[in-house]
């Protein structure tokens, strides 16, 4: 006689859901919140009940380390090792970004709070030649500084963009034995203090020019341009160098295979492909020199009146304007420096927006324009055929 053993009821397994390690759900957010609360309470228990806390920075550091450890353990228990490592690294990266963003926002907020109440349209229409120290802050004029900054930055771009672009092309598109010394020189110049550039122009050009009575080699905007060129050139060259390396070699090989020369390949294939990156390099270069003050102290020297000729006589710029007024003991005069700092920030933002507008990618718009407008009709015909 055979006995039949009843089979246990089949247990239906839940289907596994495909999920990226970086994706989050409400349960993940609740787990992270629980880890944060637990780390805060444990930090308070250890640092204030068991030990004597040296201050809130130590509490914050201990709480953050405990939070990272708890988050890793909880995420590994729930989702696995890969998701736990991804969540840990993502938290550290976001924390670093916030650590840089918060001081920047505080700085911008302080400048806006200190300068915005006194900013008037007259700042953009007259200079400081008729403004006295006891006049109200709203009477501040900065037209001469704005003109000087725009002219010096524009002249610097005239020198830097061709030189930086040609140097980057030389480093990437040639096989010369001088590439290594040039690359070393560019890397060394990138760490050059800006005040050294100003001192070099002062000692090599301005002093001999003044002694020889040559007006061109004296305190003026051109000398400031030379100093700013030395500061800006390594930044643009290194950035364009990196951008050109990202251009696929297949594009170069295809162009050469079609019979184009190497120069034609660089001009018609490589540079158009890297146009957005080149624009970014120019933006970084502008950001590098637009707020420089130290080189201008030895070159353009500054002025309180309008001088639209950068090749003769001292010329003011917004960084010099801010430097000259912020260091004064009178609070009324210091406010003028904050107004100038606010205008400098607005001017840099405007230059960035203009550069992004000029270097934006127009290929998608051209593709949209080239797309025939018969697509809806063809789609309707296909539906009718179905």
């Amino acid at each position: 006689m055979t006995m039949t053993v009843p089979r246990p009821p089949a247990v239906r397994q839940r289907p596994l859901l495909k999920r990226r390690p970086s994706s989050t759900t409400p349960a993940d957010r609740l787990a992270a919140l629980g880890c944060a609360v637990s780390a805060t309470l444990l930090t308070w228990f250890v640092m204030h009940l068991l030990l004597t806390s040296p201050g809130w920075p130590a509490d914050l550091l201990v709480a953050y380390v405990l939070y990272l450890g708890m988050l890793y353990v909880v995420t590994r228990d729930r989702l696995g090792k890969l998701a736990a490592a991804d969540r840990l690294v993502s938290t550290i990266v976001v924390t670093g970004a916030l650590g840089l963003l918060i001081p920047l926002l505080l700085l911008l907020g302080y400048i806006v709070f200190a300068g915005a109440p006194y900013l008037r349209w007259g700042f953009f229409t007259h200079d400081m030649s008729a403004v006295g120290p006891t006049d109200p802050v709203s009477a501040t004029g900065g037209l001469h500084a704005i003109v000087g900054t725009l002219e010096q930055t524009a002249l610097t771009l005239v020198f830097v963009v061709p030189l930086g672009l040609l140097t980057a092309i030389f480093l990437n598109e040639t096989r010369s034995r001088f590439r290594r010394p040039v690359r070393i020189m560019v890397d060394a110049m990138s760490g050059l203090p800006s005040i050294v550039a100003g001192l070099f122009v002062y000692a090599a050009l301005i002093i001999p020019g003044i002694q020889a009575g040559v007006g061109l080699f004296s305190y003026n905007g051109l000398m400031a341009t030379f100093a700013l060129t030395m500061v800006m050139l390594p930044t643009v060259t290194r950035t364009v160098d990196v951008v050109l390396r990202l251009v696929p070699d297949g594009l170069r090989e295809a162009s050469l295979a079609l019979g184009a020369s190497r120069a034609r390949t660089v001009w018609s294939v490589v540079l158009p492909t890297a146009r957005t990156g080149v624009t970014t390099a120019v933006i970084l270069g502008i950001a590098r020199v637009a707020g420089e003050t130290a080189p201008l102290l030895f070159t353009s020297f500054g002025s309180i009146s309008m001088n639209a000729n950068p090749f003769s006589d001292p010329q003011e710029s917004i960084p010099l304007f801010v430097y000259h007024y912020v260091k004064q003991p009178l609070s009324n005069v210091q406010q003028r420096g904050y107004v100038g700092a606010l205008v400098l920030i607005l001017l840099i933002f405007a230059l960035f927006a203009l550069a992004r507008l000029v270097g934006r990618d127009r290929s998608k718009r051209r593709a949209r324009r080239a797309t025939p407008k018969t697509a809806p009709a063809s789609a309707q015909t296909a539906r009718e055929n179905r």
Side-chain angles (χ1 to χ4, degrees), residues 108-119 137 334-336 338-339 342:
L108 292 177
Y110 177 77
I111 293 176
V112 171
F113 178 79
Y118 307 103
L119 181 61
V137 183
Q334 291 178 0
Q335 295 296 332
R336 305 185 193 276
Y338 291 117
V339 175
L342 177 60

Side-chain angles (χ1 to χ4, degrees), residues 6 9 26-27 32 51 54 82 92 126 147 164 235 248 266 299 313 358 374:
L51 302 174
L82 180 61
I92 295 175
H126 64 271
V147 171
T235 302
V266 172
T299 53
D313 299 329
V358 172
T374 59

Side-chain angles (χ1 to χ4, degrees), residues 81-127:
K81 183 178 179 180
L82 180 61
D86 183 85
R87 196 65 49 78
L88 181 64
V89 175
S90 300
T91 303
I92 295 175
V93 170
V94 172
T95 305
L98 291 177
L100 294 176
L101 183 62
I102 291 176
L104 177 61
L105 293 178
L106 291 176
L107 178 61
L108 292 177
Y110 177 77
I111 293 176
V112 171
F113 178 79
Y118 307 103
L119 181 61
R120 300 292 186 271
W121 181 250
F123 186 90
F124 304 94
T125 59
H126 64 271
D127 54 23

Side-chain angles (χ1 to χ4, degrees), residues 155-168:
L155 287 175
T156 304
L157 290 176
V158 169
F159 288 112
V160 168
V161 173
L163 290 176
L165 199 60
L166 292 176
T167 305

